[in-house]
Amino acid sequence: LSTRLDWFSESIIRKMTRIANQYDAINLSQGFPDFDPPQELIEALKKTADEGPHQYEITWGSPLFREAVAKKQERFMNIKLNPDENIVVTCGSTEAMMAAMMSVCEAGEKVAIFSPFYENYAADTVLCGAIPIYVPLNPPEFTFNKDELENAFKEGAKALILCNPSNPLGKVFTRDELMFISELVTKYDAFVITDEVYEHIVYEPSKHIYFASLPGMFERTISCSSLSKTYSITGWRLGYVIGPKNVIDNCKKVHDFLTVGAAAPLQKAALAGLAFGDDYYRELTSLYTEKRELFLKGLDSIGLKYHKPEGAYYVMVDISEFGIKTDVEFAKRLAENVGVAAVPGSSFFKDDVNNYVRFHFAKKKETLEKALERLQNIR
Ligand code: GLN
């Protein structure tokens, strides 16, 4: 068997979903909504069932879908995009990130990853034969040390993974931070691979800045995103890579052999979402702003300490006060005895950091209230 897989374990996030189901716990571990997508998408899906398509689409994504993504992202990213040259449609941003990494890294090359990080990045790096270099984001504000980041490039990092807004911290990178990164990638002739799936879930006064939109950065950025979080359709597995033509040509090749293509009927139905006007995105932000306030207020009233998220829909809760040896043990007991599932924070850190669990709040008001009620018994 391949020893490459010894480098990482199965996904702890998805394992926690199985544990949540086992104990009938409210699942605030794997981040996905328990509410329906917009009605327009459901209607479009029904119509597509009748009208098709039901066979393969063009490998890199249906022309209409790529045009719609280009039109929407041009508006938000403020960049001109050619749907034939700058976009590949993938099976979620999970495939997008893998395709992006395989498109720029030779085996044995290095990839810089901020820690804590979404667990896929290390696995993706190893699966494409590259070597991760971790750069810590340091509490309390989870900022990076400029020299430590530069050292990663000095050691030869070919690309930096930039999850912004970030999972699991909810960090929204500032313009100054991003400008510093842009200076480094220019100086060291490297790429930035973004994961921007939470691009539309950002809380005032933070603002999302697309790395590709910074001066001179389009040529160095491989932007990965998806429709999962923006339209509450995580199960549709629709994502995409946006980048300069030479990189996208490579991504098309990788994608072609990895999956052939994203689901044709779902690409068609999703056009209904991509056509939404600005109001939709404003409403999405206010919906999640309400959920964040509700959940954080609940944590406050229970007296739990946490890092306040500026974006995305996760919150890292500090469990130091409980004195339980491992966060894994804590999360298991929480699911079993309190009836709420969270992800052990250590699965996001390179180093042995044991004092957090991650909750997500992409749930209906009733679900969050019920979870908070159960969490009253956490002590
Ligand atoms: N990105 C989500 C999370 O971090 C869902 C992960 C997944 O299972 N694809 O929880």
Side-chain angles (χ1 to χ4, degrees):
L1 293 178
S2 162
T3 53
R4 197 183 271 178
L5 296 182
D6 298 344
W7 282 60
F8 53 89
S9 65
E10 62 171 329
S11 159
I12 308 295
I13 296 177
R14 295 180 277 282
K15 184 174 172 187
M16 283 314 300
T17 284
R18 295 194 292 275
I19 291 179
N21 294 344
Q22 181 187 340
Y23 294 116
D24 206 17
I26 299 172
N27 189 2
L28 303 188
S29 59
Q30 188 181 20
F32 62 89
D34 66 347
F35 44 89
D36 282 336
Q39 198 53 33
E40 290 89 334
L41 282 153
I42 295 174
E43 293 305 325
L45 186 58
K46 287 183 190 161
K47 199 159 166 256
T48 308
D50 288 333
E51 296 174 2
H54 295 291
Q55 310 306 329
Y56 299 127
E57 255 305 346
I58 291 174
T59 302
W60 3 108
S62 85
L64 285 178
F65 188 91
R66 278 181 287 122
E67 269 162 36
V69 169
K71 209 162 148 217
K72 177 195 160 237
Q73 290 309 104
E74 276 184 348
R75 187 160 102 236
F76 287 104
M77 297 172 86
N78 206 12
I79 296 173
K80 193 98 199 80
L81 296 171
N82 178 333
D84 292 321
E85 295 184 350
N86 304 126
I87 298 173
V88 187
V89 181
T90 55
C91 299
S93 67
T94 301
E95 188 205 346
M97 302 275 312
M98 187 79 226
M101 228 182 272
M102 291 190 115
S103 295
V104 298
C105 287
E106 307 277 12
E109 284 188 326
K110 292 174 182 146
V111 172
I113 301 174
F114 286 117
S115 173
F117 59 99
Y118 175 51
E119 52 180 15
N120 282 37
Y121 310 150
D124 289 350
T125 307
V126 172
L127 283 173
C128 73
I131 301 158
I133 301 180
Y134 298 94
V135 179
L137 292 170
N138 301 308
E141 289 309 316
F142 292 100
T143 42
F144 57 82
N145 174 299
K146 288 185 170 178
D147 292 334
E148 277 176 336
L149 182 59
E150 179 150 12
N151 283 342
F153 288 102
K154 280 188 185 153
E155 283 175 46
K158 182 77 175 286
L160 167 75
I161 310 291
L162 179 69
C163 182
N164 185 28
S166 93
N167 178 4
L169 293 172
K171 175 182 172 71
V172 175
F173 284 77
T174 63
R175 183 171 292 276
D176 285 350
E177 287 174 318
L178 297 174
M179 287 303 288
F180 179 72
I181 295 171
S182 79
E183 284 164 26
L184 290 183
V185 292
T186 307
K187 182 169 169 190
Y188 292 94
D189 191 19
F191 288 100
V192 166
I193 299 173
T194 72
D195 175 353
E196 294 177 294
V197 299
Y198 306 99
E199 64 199 293
H200 296 294
I201 305 177
V202 178
Y203 308 107
E204 287 284 339
S206 297
K207 292 258 175 298
H208 178 63
I209 300 166
Y210 292 91
F211 194 79
S213 73
L214 296 177
M217 283 304 108
F218 185 71
E219 297 305 315
R220 296 192 175 276
T221 310
I222 305 148
S223 306
C224 301
S225 195
S226 93
L227 280 68
S228 292
K229 320 293 189 199
T230 303
Y231 306 107
S232 309
I233 48 172
T234 60
W236 290 29
R237 314 305 306 125
L238 289 176
Y240 51 85
V241 187
I242 287 179
K245 184 178 180 304
N246 60 337
V247 173
I248 292 300
D249 283 346
N250 268 7
C251 288
K252 284 178 176 173
K253 276 195 212 165
V254 177
H255 166 73
D256 196 0
F257 290 104
L258 273 180
T259 59
V260 178
L266 297 178
Q267 291 185 52
K268 168 94 176 293
L271 293 175
L274 291 166
F276 287 150
D278 290 348
D279 283 358
Y280 175 78
Y281 303 96
R282 267 196 294 275
E283 280 161 27
L284 186 77
T285 304
S286 56
L287 177 80
Y288 277 108
T289 302
E290 274 171 33
K291 293 190 186 302
R292 182 183 73 149
E293 292 327 301
L294 172 80
F295 198 66
L296 298 187
K297 254 198 203 134
L299 295 179
D300 286 337
S301 76
I302 300 166
L304 291 167
K305 293 198 187 69
Y306 55 83
H307 176 69
K308 191 173 182 179
E310 300 159 329
Y313 48 49
Y314 305 101
V315 55
M316 291 287 258
V317 169
D318 191 330
I319 53 165
S320 316
E321 62 163 301
F322 294 93
I324 294 173
K325 248 216 200 107
T326 72
D327 56 338
V328 175
E329 181 59 26
F330 183 89
K332 199 161 166 274
R333 287 198 207 172
L334 193 68
E336 194 176 346
N337 303 334
V338 181
V340 180
V343 181
S346 56
S347 64
F348 301 102
F349 285 89
K350 152 74 175 76
D351 300 316
D352 198 15
V353 177
N354 260 304
N355 62 313
Y356 297 103
V357 289
R358 189 200 76 173
F359 291 94
H360 85 91
F361 48 84
K363 291 284 182 255
K364 289 180 199 151
K365 190 166 175 258
E366 308 86 272
T367 314
L368 294 175
E369 281 167 349
K370 207 164 142 203
L372 287 166
E373 208 179 291
R374 290 188 183 184
L375 285 172
Q376 308 265 1
N377 304 319
I378 196 166
R379 293 191 180 82

